[in-house]
Amino acid sequence: MTPADLESTIAHMGAAARAASAAMAKASPAPKDGALRALAQWLRSEGAALAAANAEDIAAAQKAGLAGPMVDRLKLTPDAIETVAAGCEQIAAMPDPIGEITELRQRPSGIRVGRMRVPLGVFGMIYESRPNVTIEAASLAIKSGNACILRGGSEAIRSNRALWRLVQQALVDAGLPPDAVQLVQTTDRAAVGHLIASPDAVDVIIPRGGKSLIERISREAKVPVIKHLDGNCHVYVDAGADLEMALKLVDNAKTQKYSPCNAAESLLVHAAVAPAFLPRIGAVFAAKRVEMRVEPACKPLLRGIKGAEVVDATEDDWSQEYLAPIISIRIVDGLDTAIAHINRYGSHHTDAIVTNNHVHAMRFLREVDSASVMVNASTRFADGFEYGLGAEIGISTDKLHARGPVGLEGLTSLKWVVLGEGETRG
Amino acid sequence: MTPADLESTIAHMGAAARAASAAMAKASPAPKDGALRALAQWLRSEGAALAAANAEDIAAAQKAGLAGPMVDRLKLTPDAIETVAAGCEQIAAMPDPIGEITELRQRPSGIRVGRMRVPLGVFGMIYESRPNVTIEAASLAIKSGNACILRGGSEAIRSNRALWRLVQQALVDAGLPPDAVQLVQTTDRAAVGHLIASPDAVDVIIPRGGKSLIERISREAKVPVIKHLDGNCHVYVDAGADLEMALKLVDNAKTQKYSPCNAAESLLVHAAVAPAFLPRIGAVFAAKRVEMRVEPACKPLLRGIKGAEVVDATEDDWSQEYLAPIISIRIVDGLDTAIAHINRYGSHHTDAIVTNNHVHAMRFLREVDSASVMVNASTRFADGFEYGLGAEIGISTDKLHARGPVGLEGLTSLKWVVLGEGETRG
């Protein structure tokens, strides 16, 4: 495809998505939920075709020498297909967010003023590897009455095409416009550049992938981006905390899984409990081979623990998202220092305090400037499903519009409705 | 000031604002409301100093040959000062939006999950002429617990400095950090460029001014912008509408004031009522010397009206925001055509239907993709005060974050709070 052809292809997709979005915005719940249930059925009945397409992607990836974990992420197992099919049915069963009017109040002028929840219009989804995102994004678009343009990783293109054909079929089954969910068919990277520079066609871009992808998209986009940068999450163990609870929470936040963005990367311990707590958590980390990068004051307290890997933290460590069995550790002299450290070095994603002090709990909630702030809970709970959103299109580290886990609500906006009986302004 | 000095000045202001924003975010309602009431008092007691500073601005503007309406907008009359002083007291009397926790629900895991309203952090306000915006922005920043950096028009710099000094005094009176409200002291235009390119210092930019200023800022900004572009507002008179009501509403929407963004710029009339309605509204417009730019089908119905100025509309007219005694008029064959016309040519600001048909009213509310959609009310009501927001920092024509009139809520975000009792993720 020539550059001009590519640009015109993306422009055509955008115009078609814009037209389809008008039909989706006024669709009632029945066809939208019908399409989601039909999609679940197609996913289950077309397992063989999906497996064949996926096998081709995997063979190509192996031939190209992709690393093992990358190939794993490509895999569309029968279990993974059942998970996305069940997800479609769960989303179908959720209340429809669109058209709801809230806060309708009469004003002194006589007019009644309220707000109606409506779709954003068209979103662009840019993602890597995992083909299940194709179905997750399509199903959330359908439920929220939006159109979407999907751009998956080139290594998953055959799987994504096979999945997308089922979405097309389900939309047609339900009498909805198939252009409501489009897939960029070319693997040319310039397609992303056109997509993120088309404010007429796309209302918001949602990238899912590594930090460098998201930074590049944010820098070059001419449309708003719901962006998820890094998750440098902290747990602060306060003076007087229940140390059994702290042990359990810090262990879970760091070691239950190392790769998620809501895993803890940094531990702050109040000086009053450090002598009792650090040797115990140090032993847990040593047993799980978690490297500890610590400030000098921690070292005497971690001495002599069998198998412990303790190294000096550098200034850089306080800002690191390791996504690995590594944790930075610092002793602080109080709540103020802990909050200041988190607001300075953290990534405003998810941070937790372990405390029995009510005032400290409330101050931490209010003063830590992060999308999720927690008291006596594991940072690993920062997740759309755990929060009860029913589904998650992504996680936002921005403050405007959507913050933290983004579900259906993040794909909608509130417009003002005014009901009058002929009122004029004097 | 050298370019390097300017850049470092803005960077210093940004760092100071960021530091002050932490203190503002945790301030309780009492000092914030105290600062607002102190500001009202200072505005009333320092009238002479304000008048002197304003007189210098006006003399300079006249000497520079500024147009009459521009000079008028600069004027800080005793009435205008009383209005902003009373505004500060009204904002002080409003409920504090910060810290409220809503929707706190327990999840199957045991954790309780809710949302807390918090300040955005630091906003930058860029505005032209009217010095009263200095006080409006400062008072909304104080109430919402944000810090702000103000950049007014160079022609109002002496008035803005005098007003800003009173804000400083009021913050000090209340024990709040004076850096919470800063004023860019230089009139160098490059200061705006630095301000809108400082994501570390500024969370959002709110420009108020002409379309070209806002387009330029949006194009060059590296931080989110709450932008207000044009208001090409429509009134659609449906078949079967109460024509007395329609006459009153269209007249009010177009002629009550010509310059506001929520004034009507385009009239759509259903073919069934055009013969009865167009001659009557034509006579109203003729009497008020409102020029009518019409499609050919309207012309026979507007013939013979004394003083009527009727000209052929061009394709461009349908997209025009006149802000003047001019209106475009078109006859449509039904609701679908009216909605399609508004969504195509409108600016997604404010649009109204005059109808007695309930289904049409509901479809218009849902399907017209505008920040404010109205049934049987004048478009002129699209305003923060009329909607009950208590104050207005601006109007947004964006869909993300804030849409339509933006009050205190638009200066806040919702973060997630999680309250646990030691829950871990399995």
Side-chain angles (χ1 to χ4, degrees):
Chain A
M1 217 183 272
T2 67
D5 284 349
L6 183 63
E7 187 170 359
S8 117
T9 298
I10 299 294
H12 272 94
M13 291 178 73
R18 184 61 73 201
S21 76
M24 292 300 288
K26 63 182 178 186
S28 65
K32 296 191 289 182
D33 295 340
L36 292 168
R37 282 189 289 259
L39 178 54
Q41 290 308 315
W42 284 115
L43 286 163
R44 289 184 179 119
S45 64
E46 297 295 312
L50 293 174
N54 190 237
E56 286 182 49
D57 277 337
I58 288 172
Q62 283 166 334
K63 202 172 153 194
L66 237 67
M70 289 281 280
V71 175
D72 281 350
R73 277 194 273 168
L74 268 181
K75 277 184 190 157
L76 204 54
T77 62
D79 273 4
I81 292 172
E82 176 52 33
T83 301
V84 287
C88 290
E89 289 170 333
Q90 281 162 21
I91 293 171
M94 288 170 65
D96 194 298
I98 301 304
E100 185 188 25
I101 296 180
T102 50
E103 305 166 52
L104 193 70
R105 296 198 186 98
Q106 196 157 22
R107 299 286 309 150
S109 61
I111 59 172
R112 281 170 299 151
V113 179
R115 301 170 95 173
M116 182 191 279
R117 194 167 288 285
V118 290
L120 284 178
V122 179
F123 69 87
M125 185 93 191
I126 298 166
Y127 52 105
E128 295 171 327
S129 321
R130 299 184 204 277
N132 54 329
V133 176
T134 304
I135 298 298
E136 289 172 17
S139 56
L140 287 168
I142 293 168
K143 183 75 178 191
S144 60
N146 284 288
C148 67
I149 298 176
L150 307 175
R151 176 39 154 98
S154 55
E155 64 287 356
I157 185 72
R158 297 166 194 86
S159 310
N160 287 338
R161 271 194 208 123
L163 290 164
W164 170 75
R165 276 187 212 108
L166 303 183
V167 176
Q168 296 292 289
Q169 191 57 55
L171 287 165
V172 170
D173 291 349
L176 293 172
D179 284 343
V181 179
Q182 296 178 70
L183 179 73
V184 177
Q185 303 279 338
T186 168
T187 57
D188 189 334
R189 295 190 102 194
V192 171
H194 294 302
L195 193 58
I196 66 178
S198 306
D200 289 341
V202 179
D203 294 293
V204 63
I205 292 283
I206 306 173
R208 253 163 80 168
K211 191 176 177 181
S212 65
L213 170 82
I214 292 167
E215 282 181 331
R216 185 170 64 88
I217 287 173
S218 304
R219 207 169 38 239
E220 296 171 11
K222 305 270 181 245
V223 296
V225 178
I226 294 180
K227 61 175 169 295
H228 172 262
L229 294 173
D230 43 358
N232 175 18
C233 304
H234 296 73
V235 182
Y236 166 55
V237 180
D238 196 17
D242 174 340
L243 295 188
E244 294 301 324
M245 186 197 282
L247 211 58
K248 203 173 62 159
L249 288 178
V250 174
D251 181 18
N252 186 262
K254 178 67 232 178
T255 75
Q256 193 244 348
K257 262 192 178 181
Y258 295 114
S259 58
C261 57
N262 56 19
E265 306 291 13
S266 199
L267 168 65
L268 305 178
V269 182
H270 192 284
V273 290
F277 185 67
L278 276 184
R280 296 184 63 189
I281 194 70
V284 171
F285 286 150
K288 297 191 176 179
R289 308 202 62 77
V290 175
E291 180 184 323
M292 292 170 265
R293 302 201 181 165
V294 308
E295 61 163 4
C298 303
K299 287 182 114 172
L301 301 170
L302 295 167
R303 204 161 280 157
I305 298 174
K306 197 172 168 244
E309 298 171 63
V310 179
V311 301
D312 287 315
T314 65
E315 176 71 9
D316 259 9
D317 277 301
W318 308 122
S319 309
Q320 282 297 309
E321 180 189 37
Y322 302 115
L323 303 176
I326 306 171
I327 191 164
S328 64
I329 306 182
R330 197 181 158 190
I331 296 173
V332 294
D333 60 8
L335 181 67
D336 287 318
T337 310
I339 292 173
H341 178 99
I342 294 170
N343 285 340
R344 173 169 177 196
Y345 294 105
S347 64
H348 311 289
H349 189 296
T350 299
D351 300 287
I353 185 174
V354 188
T355 191
N356 276 323
N357 182 314
H358 179 70
V359 172
H360 287 191
M362 292 298 114
R363 281 196 53 205
F364 190 90
L365 291 181
R366 173 117 173 212
E367 296 176 31
V368 170
D369 184 25
S370 297
S372 291
V373 282
M374 302 185 169
V375 175
N376 296 340
S378 169
T379 56
R380 291 279 292 109
F381 281 112
D383 172 290
F385 293 92
E386 294 293 341
Y387 283 2
L389 302 182
E392 181 180 287
I393 190 88
I395 293 186
S396 165
T397 50
D398 286 323
K399 288 185 184 180
L400 265 69
H401 190 64
R403 197 168 184 186
V406 183
L408 286 170
E409 190 185 298
L411 297 174
T412 67
S413 82
L414 290 171
K415 68 180 177 189
W416 295 93
V417 295
V418 175
L419 306 178
E421 298 175 16
E423 287 84 357
T424 54
R425 199 159 161 195
Chain B
M1 217 183 271
T2 69
D5 285 348
L6 183 62
E7 187 169 359
S8 115
T9 298
I10 298 294
H12 271 95
M13 291 178 74
R18 183 61 73 202
S21 77
M24 292 300 288
K26 64 183 178 184
S28 64
K32 295 191 289 181
D33 295 339
L36 292 168
R37 282 188 288 259
L39 179 53
Q41 289 310 315
W42 283 115
L43 286 163
R44 289 185 180 120
S45 64
E46 295 296 312
L50 293 174
N54 190 237
E56 285 182 51
D57 278 335
I58 288 173
Q62 283 166 335
K63 201 172 153 194
L66 238 67
M70 291 279 282
V71 175
D72 280 350
R73 277 193 271 169
L74 269 181
K75 278 185 188 153
L76 205 55
T77 62
D79 273 4
I81 292 171
E82 176 51 34
T83 301
V84 289
C88 290
E89 290 170 333
Q90 280 161 23
I91 293 171
M94 288 170 66
D96 194 297
I98 300 304
E100 185 188 26
I101 296 180
T102 51
E103 304 167 50
L104 193 71
R105 296 199 185 96
Q106 196 158 23
R107 299 288 307 150
S109 62
I111 60 172
R112 281 171 297 152
V113 179
R115 301 171 96 173
M116 182 192 279
R117 194 168 288 285
V118 291
L120 284 177
V122 179
F123 70 87
M125 185 94 191
I126 298 165
Y127 52 104
E128 297 172 326
S129 325
R130 298 184 204 276
N132 53 328
V133 175
T134 304
I135 299 298
E136 289 171 18
S139 56
L140 287 168
I142 293 168
K143 182 76 178 191
S144 60
N146 284 288
C148 68
I149 297 176
L150 307 175
R151 172 48 150 93
S154 55
E155 66 286 356
I157 186 72
R158 298 167 192 85
S159 310
N160 287 338
R161 271 195 208 122
L163 291 164
W164 170 74
R165 274 186 214 111
L166 304 183
V167 176
Q168 296 293 290
Q169 191 56 56
L171 286 165
V172 170
D173 290 348
L176 293 172
D179 284 344
V181 179
Q182 295 178 70
L183 179 73
V184 177
Q185 303 280 338
T186 166
T187 57
D188 189 333
R189 295 190 102 196
V192 172
H194 294 302
L195 193 60
I196 67 178
S198 306
D200 289 341
V202 178
D203 294 293
V204 63
I205 292 283
I206 306 173
R208 254 164 83 167
K211 191 176 177 182
S212 66
L213 170 81
I214 292 167
E215 282 181 333
R216 184 170 66 86
I217 287 172
S218 304
R219 208 168 39 239
E220 294 170 13
K222 305 271 181 246
V223 295
V225 178
I226 295 180
K227 62 174 168 294
H228 173 264
L229 294 174
D230 43 358
N232 175 17
C233 305
H234 295 73
V235 181
Y236 166 55
V237 179
D238 197 18
D242 175 338
L243 296 189
E244 295 301 324
M245 186 196 282
L247 210 58
K248 204 172 61 158
L249 288 178
V250 174
D251 180 18
N252 185 261
K254 179 68 232 178
T255 74
Q256 193 245 348
K257 261 192 178 179
Y258 295 114
S259 59
C261 58
N262 57 18
E265 305 292 11
S266 198
L267 168 66
L268 305 177
V269 181
H270 192 285
V273 292
F277 185 67
L278 277 185
R280 295 184 64 189
I281 194 70
V284 169
F285 287 150
K288 297 191 177 179
R289 306 203 63 78
V290 175
E291 180 184 323
M292 293 170 264
R293 301 200 181 165
V294 308
E295 60 164 5
C298 302
K299 287 182 113 172
L301 300 170
L302 295 167
R303 204 160 282 155
I305 299 173
K306 197 170 170 245
E309 297 171 62
V310 179
V311 302
D312 287 314
T314 64
E315 176 70 11
D316 260 10
D317 276 303
W318 309 122
S319 308
Q320 282 297 310
E321 181 189 37
Y322 302 115
L323 303 177
I326 307 172
I327 191 164
S328 64
I329 307 181
R330 198 182 157 189
I331 296 173
V332 295
D333 60 7
L335 181 67
D336 287 318
T337 311
I339 292 173
H341 178 100
I342 294 170
N343 284 341
R344 174 169 176 195
Y345 295 104
S347 64
H348 311 290
H349 189 297
T350 301
D351 301 286
I353 185 173
V354 187
T355 191
N356 276 322
N357 182 315
H358 178 70
V359 172
H360 287 190
M362 292 299 113
R363 281 196 53 206
F364 190 91
L365 289 182
R366 174 118 171 211
E367 297 176 29
V368 170
D369 185 24
S370 297
S372 291
V373 283
M374 303 185 167
V375 175
N376 297 339
S378 169
T379 56
R380 291 279 293 109
F381 281 112
D383 172 290
F385 292 92
E386 294 294 339
Y387 283 3
L389 302 182
E392 182 181 287
I393 189 89
I395 293 186
S396 165
T397 51
D398 286 323
K399 287 184 184 181
L400 265 70
H401 190 64
R403 196 169 183 185
V406 183
L408 287 171
E409 189 185 299
L411 297 174
T412 67
S413 84
L414 290 171
K415 68 181 178 190
W416 295 94
V417 294
V418 175
L419 305 179
E421 298 174 18
E423 286 83 359
T424 54
R425 197 158 162 197

